[in-house]
Amino acid sequence: MNEEISKYAMCVLFGGIFSLLTWVIFLFIIKGLIASCPSSRQIKHLIAVAGIVLTAGTFALVMPEAFNVHNEFFYLMLSNCVCIAGGSYLYKLEITNVTQAVQTQ
C-alpha cells in the first residue's frame, strides 16, 4: 500500500510540473495566434489543435508507450486531449483591438 501511495504522489508531482509547463507554452501559443490572426474565424480550431498537440506531445515526451491502445495511459491521454479541445471550444474568446481597449479605459 505504501508503494502505491508513493507512486501516486510521484505521478501527481510530475504531472503538475509538466502540466504547468504545457499550460505556459499553450498560453504563449494562444497569444501568438491572437496577435497573428486577430479576426480569423478558425482561431478556436487552431487553439484546440494546439492544445491537443501539446497534450499528446507531453505524453509522448514522458511516456511514449501511452500511444498504444492497450496501455492504460492511452485513455488518460485521450481524455486529457478531449478536455483541452472541449474547453477551447467552450471558452468565450473575445479578441479586442489593443488601440480600442486603450481608448475605452
Side-chain angles (χ1 to χ4, degrees), residues 39-78:
S39 63
S40 174
R41 293 178 183 240
Q42 305 299 327
I43 195 144
K44 281 197 173 189
H45 300 304
L46 295 172
I47 291 171
V49 168
I52 291 170
V53 169
L54 281 172
T55 303
T58 303
F59 274 89
L61 183 69
V62 179
M63 286 183 256
E65 67 273 4
F67 285 91
N68 182 359
V69 178
H70 302 292
N71 189 310
E72 64 269 7
F73 287 108
F74 174 78
Y75 299 102
L76 177 64
M77 179 191 64
L78 192 63

Side-chain angles (χ1 to χ4, degrees), residues 88-103:
S88 298
Y89 284 116
L90 291 175
Y91 183 76
K92 186 178 178 185
L93 181 65
E94 293 182 15
I95 302 171
T96 57
N97 192 342
V98 176
T99 57
Q100 183 183 22
V102 171
Q103 289 174 355

Side-chain angles (χ1 to χ4, degrees), residues 4-15:
E4 295 301 319
I5 291 173
S6 64
K7 283 183 184 178
Y8 179 75
M10 292 302 288
C11 285
V12 168
L13 177 69
F14 284 112

Side-chain angles (χ1 to χ4, degrees), residues 12-52:
V12 168
L13 177 69
F14 284 112
I17 291 169
F18 283 110
S19 293
L20 180 65
L21 290 173
T22 304
W23 178 76
V24 169
I25 294 168
F26 188 47
L27 183 66
F28 284 122
I29 288 173
I30 291 170
K31 290 193 177 280
L33 285 171
I34 291 172
S36 63
C37 49
S39 63
S40 174
R41 293 178 183 240
Q42 305 299 327
I43 195 144
K44 281 197 173 189
H45 300 304
L46 295 172
I47 291 171
V49 168
I52 291 170

